[in-house]
Amino acid sequence: MELTVIHALSLGDAWFQCLNKALLEGRTYEIQQGSFEGSHRKEIPLVAILIKNPAIRPLRPDIPNGVPAPTTDEVIEEYLSYLMTSTKQENEEYTYGEYLTPQIEEIIRRYKLGYDTNQMCMNVGDRDSIYMKDPPCLRMLDTRIQDNTLHFILYFRSWDLWGGFPTNLGGLQLLKEYMANEIGVGDGTIVAFSKGLHLYEHCWDLAKMVLRMPLD
């Protein structure tokens, strides 16, 4: 597996660059297990995305008129609530919030005691997650305060480029802003890793419309 590195200014810039990379260079294969089994997806097999200023508004991608938006400001705000509550609905095997909520407040408390530490890493899932039909995609939310600024380092085992990426990163940016404010430091960068950033077959034409590519 070769590492793809994306340098982006904003969340929207990162999304557009990844769409282009997936469509033009992504590995196309049939899904044998997981969501949309039997269909195809284009995947960037191993990617590191370095986002210099993820706080630039809007957090949602600014897409051409007439193309269905992958997310909205309202959905991103709702996703922040999802990340920060442990309440689980009847049809949910898990929520990110059930794992993250107790860790968020503990990290804020401990950073207030001193910034120079590498210990403030939040985990999503546990040893039983492997038995779930659809295990969590976000598996690690690591943090670091450097130069009086809070940075996020993320790992997604699998990542839906259309239906997940814009909302995930928008909500996580809002979470970072909240934590930075509570700790009393500045808001910093996001570095995101995935071994499977992918675009499902039913979104290929939408992505081409966003990038103004000709449809097949």
Side-chain angles (χ1 to χ4, degrees):
M1 298 173 70
E2 293 187 5
L3 176 65
T4 296
V5 179
I6 303 289
H7 291 270
L9 176 63
S10 64
L11 299 185
D13 180 28
W15 187 66
F16 284 111
Q17 287 194 53
C18 289
L19 275 186
N20 188 73
K21 179 71 72 170
L23 280 174
L24 296 181
E25 302 178 28
R27 178 177 76 99
T28 303
Y29 67 98
E30 182 177 337
I31 303 167
Q32 297 181 356
Q33 294 184 53
S35 301
F36 304 105
E37 185 175 323
S39 65
H40 295 81
R41 58 188 180 194
K42 294 180 181 291
E43 180 180 82
I44 307 173
L46 185 63
V47 62
I49 307 162
L50 291 72
I51 307 171
K52 183 177 181 180
N53 193 346
I56 291 175
R57 267 39 176 193
L59 298 179
R60 56 173 170 76
D62 188 11
I63 64 174
N65 291 333
V67 181
T71 193
T72 64
D73 295 334
E74 292 74 22
V75 169
I76 289 173
E77 289 281 354
E78 290 173 4
Y79 190 73
L80 173 63
S81 298
Y82 168 78
L83 293 172
M84 297 185 67
T85 179
S86 57
T87 303
K88 185 164 56 177
Q89 303 300 318
E90 290 184 4
N91 63 335
E92 291 180 318
E93 280 192 279
Y94 70 90
T95 70
Y96 288 152
E98 73 177 282
Y99 296 111
L100 293 175
T101 299
Q103 299 180 81
I104 290 169
E105 297 308 317
E106 177 62 10
I107 282 183
I108 291 171
R109 183 189 73 81
R110 292 179 63 182
Y111 267 138
K112 287 181 177 180
L113 300 176
Y115 300 158
D116 197 6
T117 175
N118 280 326
Q119 296 181 342
M120 302 297 98
C121 180
M122 292 181 273
N123 295 310
V124 177
D126 53 34
R127 66 182 184 181
D128 293 325
S129 298
I130 192 67
Y131 301 107
M132 293 180 179
K133 181 179 179 181
D134 291 303
C137 293
L138 173 64
R139 301 313 292 263
M140 185 187 76
L141 199 175
D142 203 355
T143 71
R144 181 66 190 263
I145 293 179
Q146 188 168 312
D147 299 326
N148 210 42
T149 303
L150 177 65
H151 306 273
F152 271 8
I153 302 92
L154 316 171
Y155 176 71
F156 286 82
R157 64 160 185 84
S158 181
W159 205 0
D160 181 352
L161 184 49
W162 187 275
F165 186 111
T167 300
N168 297 151
L169 287 186
L172 287 162
Q173 171 59 26
L174 291 179
L175 175 60
K176 180 159 61 63
E177 292 174 6
Y178 162 78
M179 294 177 67
N181 183 66
E182 290 293 306
I183 296 165
V185 295
D187 174 69
T189 61
I190 288 179
V191 181
F193 297 91
S194 181
K195 73 171 193 315
L197 179 60
H198 55 264
L199 191 62
Y200 287 110
E201 188 172 8
H202 61 269
C203 295
W204 293 353
D205 282 348
L206 291 174
K208 290 175 182 178
M209 292 168 66
V210 167
L211 298 172
R212 304 186 188 280
M213 293 181 177
L215 302 180
D216 294 335

